[in-house]
Amino acid sequence: MINNILSISGKQGLFKLVNQGKNMLIVESLLTGKRTPAYAHDKVVALSDISIYTNDGGDRPLADILEDIKAYTEGQPVDVKAMDDADLRKYFGQIMPDFDSDRVYTNDIRKLFNWYNQLIAAGVTEFKDNEIAEDEAAEAAEKADEEATEK
């Protein structure tokens, strides 16, 4: 579940939201475990608010893409240092074939894989909220039932 995992502009790595103070957030680095404040002037974005552009003009939530990466790699980290830009884009295309190659930059893909590696190293392996995942499973089952009854 990535609802309380944050990216803070200007600071390296990802952070876990620990507490809220007056005009600041108390965050803990996933890399070092060190707690620091994030102030109102810092650009703080929750990973659950990030999405990737697709070719159909929409976008896909980051949690879905992280789940796809986990399934594709069988929960193992991705070695992005060994890949050049073309290989990295091709590899990401195997995981998410419908990504918009014009609006999704190679640096974004590299950052996504680095975030995935940090989350796996920190022991975060569930990227979707359990309630959301259950709702999606129920919707998929309902859609399959409707398609079966139409035939």
Side-chain angles (χ1 to χ4, degrees):
M1 173 165 48
I2 60 173
N3 290 335
N4 53 345
I5 304 294
L6 309 172
S7 171
I8 302 173
S9 182
K11 294 187 180 186
Q12 186 176 1
L14 295 174
F15 299 85
K16 179 179 173 185
L17 177 64
V18 176
N19 205 348
Q20 284 184 276
K22 186 175 182 177
N23 297 327
M24 70 176 161
L25 302 172
I26 306 299
V27 296
E28 182 177 294
S29 171
L30 292 183
L31 294 174
T32 64
K34 183 179 175 184
R35 290 185 178 188
T36 59
Y39 296 101
H41 61 79
D42 292 327
K43 184 177 178 186
V44 179
V45 179
L47 293 190
S48 59
D49 294 337
I50 298 173
S51 58
I52 301 288
Y53 295 116
T54 61
N55 285 326
D56 64 5
D59 51 357
R60 281 188 59 206
L62 186 64
D64 291 347
I65 298 165
L66 290 171
E67 287 289 342
D68 291 348
I69 294 170
K70 183 176 86 171
Y72 189 82
T73 63
E74 298 175 352
Q76 298 301 311
V78 178
D79 186 14
V80 294
K81 293 178 184 171
M83 293 185 227
D84 65 5
D85 290 354
D87 290 340
L88 190 66
R89 292 182 78 76
K90 183 178 176 184
Y91 185 74
F92 185 62
Q94 293 171 350
I95 297 168
M96 186 182 167
D98 63 334
F99 83 97
D100 187 340
S101 59
D102 293 332
R103 297 195 305 176
V104 178
Y105 300 110
T106 306
N107 287 340
D108 299 331
I109 297 169
R110 193 172 303 280
K111 184 184 292 186
L112 169 66
F113 284 130
N114 284 329
W115 285 352
Y116 170 78
N117 290 340
Q118 287 178 38
L119 291 167
I120 294 297
V124 178
T125 58
E126 294 300 318
F127 304 114
K128 288 186 174 183
D129 191 9
N130 289 338
E131 293 176 14
I132 294 171
E134 290 171 6
D135 289 345
E136 287 178 358
E139 286 176 17
E142 186 176 306
K143 185 177 180 181
D145 288 343
E146 287 175 5
E147 290 176 0
T149 56
E150 289 176 2
K151 293 180 181 179

